[in-house]
């Protein structure tokens, strides 16, 4: 779940947010398993993540840029057509 806040001025929107990410993984052990020890393992990981971005509207086209910070930073860009 994320909590977001945004500010819009004419054709420009700035936003930021914080959220909680959780992953539960099951690793199969045994003879044909993927673990080094051969034991079945369960890993439960959770952490807080942050995001920030900008959305710019140019007539019928928009450009969005976003930074999402989990363990590593992820950058994304979108170019789209509004219809």
């Amino acid at each position: 779940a994320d909590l977001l806040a945004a500010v819009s001025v004419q054709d420009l929107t700035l936003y930021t947010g914080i959220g909680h990410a959780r992953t539960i993984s099951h690793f199969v052990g045994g003879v044909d398993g993927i673990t080094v020890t051969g034991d079945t393992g369960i890993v439960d990981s959770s952490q807080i993540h942050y995001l920030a971005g900008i959305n710019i509207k140019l007539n019928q086209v928009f450009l969005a840029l976003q930074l999402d910070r989990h363990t590593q930073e992820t950058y994304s860009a979108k170019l789209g057509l509004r219809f």
Side-chain angles (χ1 to χ4, degrees):
D2 294 334
L3 177 63
L4 298 172
V7 174
S8 294
V9 179
Q10 292 182 353
D11 295 335
L12 179 73
T13 303
L14 298 170
Y15 60 92
T16 187
I18 187 170
H20 182 261
R22 182 177 182 199
T23 302
I24 301 173
S25 304
H26 297 265
F27 298 96
V28 178
V31 178
D32 296 325
I34 62 170
T35 61
V36 174
T37 62
D39 297 332
T40 297
I42 298 174
V43 177
D44 188 346
S45 175
S46 64
Q47 69 183 59
I48 301 296
H49 77 102
Y50 309 96
L51 62 100
I54 184 170
N55 190 327
I56 304 166
K57 180 182 173 192
L58 307 165
N59 295 326
Q60 295 292 12
V61 177
F62 73 91
L63 173 65
L65 304 171
Q66 181 172 312
L67 163 69
D68 200 345
R69 174 84 169 127
H70 286 272
T71 302
Q72 295 180 332
E73 293 178 352
T74 303
Y75 302 94
S76 62
K78 299 176 188 175
L79 181 63
L81 179 64
R82 295 179 185 267
F83 57 93

